[in-house]
Amino acid sequence: MQNFIYHTPTKLIFGKDVISKLPEVMSQFGKRILLTYGGGSIKKIGLYDKVIKLLADKEIIELPDIQPNPKYDPSVLDGVRLCKEHNVDVILSVGGGSVLDCSKAIAAGAKYDGDPWDLITYKVKAQAALPIVDIITLAATGSEYDAGGVISRTETNDKTGYSDPLLYPAVSFLDPTYTFTVSKKQTAAGCADAMNHIMEQYFCEDSTLLNDGFMEAGLKSLMVNAVKCLENPEDYTARAEMMLCCTYGCNRIYSLGNSRSGWPCHGMEHALSAYYDITHGEGLAIITPRWMKHILSEKTVRRFKKYGVNVFGIDASLDDFDIAERAIKATYDFFESIGIPMHLRDVGIDESRIGEMAHHVAENEGLEEAWAPLLEKDIAEIFTESL
Ligand code: NZQ
Ligand code: ZN
């Protein structure tokens, strides 16, 4: 087991109607609030009106229209400007992972005099950030319980993940009923994203019985509950369990003490979203089984065997490679069964920019140091196999 330091300072407030605690929570941080949200889903579900009513005694400044794969320009830049102009005390992010990731970049940018891109690219280390409270409305990213965010810069085809302990949300409200309206497409994509977060931690050299059991249970729970959510979007128990599995996703709690994996599928998917603005979870679902096939070897087969036997119940007495191949097929079949388009062409990506994207990933994501190292040619092959 590897040494580690673990500290997540985020308070989770989970369950039906927990939003009633919002006024008390927000009052700790001050009076001037930047309310960030997306393209309108929070208005459709009545959450916007509830928030405005609960915070009637506060000064609210709004940043609406944050898009999926949140954009540096205009959203992050507008948010930073608003925080500085209005001397904002706290950010309240209401929406999915994109709204929250954008809010994290704004929180750091608001306390920095230079170009906020310096912070996102680690050119400059953030010294301070505004506190963030969030009400998460989509189970997927785990941004509500981690210190990271992913920001896209359209003009340079960059989609950059960054992380800083200053950016843990102070408080995250998780009410599964707000996810009842999430579409089938986004529910399935959220499931694939969260499953991939677990896989990115599972497929590594050094893990423990404890972590493997936790992650295998997480994967099984996500598969069972996503299917239930798709069948009955208002199944509270299924939405609730799915939400919690997703919340654990990216804050390392699933894999404390494990060796590094390099998060290869995320490294590759960032390029797909950056170049083609596709849904993150769909990109991951398409790449994952092709990546698995590509890295299957004498060195890696041991982990695939464990995954196949414990997650999919494949007969442990079969040949190791046979188990691995069945597990990869089961992964593909599950994603397909929940309605995810399983080819890049289905999401509008052809072969024309594969070389360029593979080069971008190889230059920026450090995947030559992943558990199963990927060079530019491997990345291009995985993209081609995903077409
Ligand atoms: O914009 P609105 O109108 O709010 O609609 C959104 C959006 O169109 C909609 N939606 C959200 N909640 C809803 C809802 N529709 C109906 N009912 C609700 N309750 O869903 C659409 C997608 O929203 P988005 O926030 O983009 O989805 P998600 O939460 O999956 O976030 C994806 C982003 O997070 C990044 C991804 O790269 C991507 O940019 N990630 C962030 C991570 C992190 N911070 O740790 C880790 C992940 O690996 C991921 O990379
Ligand atoms: Zn992800």
Side-chain angles (χ1 to χ4, degrees), residues 283-302:
L284 287 171
I286 295 168
I287 290 176
T288 301
R290 279 71 182 219
W291 164 78
M292 288 175 157
K293 232 177 219 168
H294 194 87
I295 66 148
L296 180 58
S297 69
E298 290 292 343
K299 173 191 160 186
T300 63
V301 69
R302 171 179 73 84

Side-chain angles (χ1 to χ4, degrees), residues 141 193 197 250 263 266 280 284:
T141 62
D193 186 20
H197 295 157
C250 289
W263 286 63
H266 274 69
H280 172 64
L284 287 171

Side-chain angles (χ1 to χ4, degrees), residues 39-41 69 96-98 101 137 141 143 146 148 159 178 181 197 266 280:
S41 69
N69 300 321
S98 292
D101 283 7
T137 63
T141 62
S143 189
D146 72 35
K159 179 167 178 178
Y178 296 142
T181 51
H197 295 157
H266 274 69
H280 172 64

Side-chain angles (χ1 to χ4, degrees), residues 23 25-35 55-61 86-91 131:
V25 165
M26 296 310 290
S27 291
Q28 299 167 49
F29 300 107
K31 217 171 155 39
R32 285 176 301 275
I33 300 171
L34 180 73
L35 172 63
L55 301 178
D57 64 335
K58 303 279 190 289
E59 188 184 329
I60 308 243
I61 299 107
H86 296 271
N87 203 12
V88 159
D89 297 312
V90 54
I91 300 177

Side-chain angles (χ1 to χ4, degrees), residues 93-267:
S93 161
V94 187
S98 292
V99 176
L100 184 47
D101 283 7
C102 184
S103 304
K104 290 176 178 177
I106 294 169
K111 294 280 186 183
Y112 176 62
D113 285 336
D115 182 349
W117 194 248
D118 297 345
L119 307 172
I120 294 168
T121 51
Y122 300 115
K123 209 169 115 197
V124 175
K125 163 86 183 81
Q127 297 301 314
L130 286 173
I132 302 163
V133 175
D134 66 89
I135 303 171
I136 199 84
T137 63
L138 198 163
T141 62
S143 189
E144 65 275 18
Y145 203 42
D146 72 35
V150 193
I151 299 297
S152 294
R153 202 161 180 175
T154 318
E155 71 276 17
T156 49
N157 293 315
D158 277 310
K159 179 167 178 178
T160 303
Y162 73 105
S163 168
D164 189 306
L166 291 167
L167 302 180
Y168 280 107
V171 181
S172 291
F173 286 90
L174 295 95
D175 183 337
T177 65
Y178 296 142
T179 66
F180 284 176
T181 51
V182 174
S183 65
K184 284 192 188 317
K185 174 188 164 84
Q186 292 293 341
T187 299
C191 170
D193 186 20
M195 284 179 68
N196 191 265
H197 295 157
I198 298 179
M199 292 173 193
E200 299 275 39
Q201 297 169 79
Y202 189 92
F203 289 99
C204 67
E205 189 57 31
D206 185 11
S207 186
T208 61
L209 201 54
L210 173 67
N211 290 345
D212 284 351
F214 190 18
M215 290 191 276
E216 288 155 6
L219 289 167
K220 286 194 274 194
S221 164
L222 283 164
M223 289 194 282
V224 167
N225 287 299
V227 169
K228 289 185 180 173
C229 294
L230 291 168
E231 280 167 6
N232 175 11
E234 302 201 5
D235 180 337
Y236 180 83
T237 311
R239 287 286 192 191
E241 190 167 329
M242 182 168 167
M243 190 171 224
L244 199 54
C245 283
C246 293
T247 296
Y248 291 149
C250 289
N251 97 335
R252 299 187 303 130
I253 194 169
Y254 274 121
S255 60
L256 295 174
N258 279 19
S259 58
R260 280 171 42 83
S261 74
W263 286 63
C265 292
H266 274 69

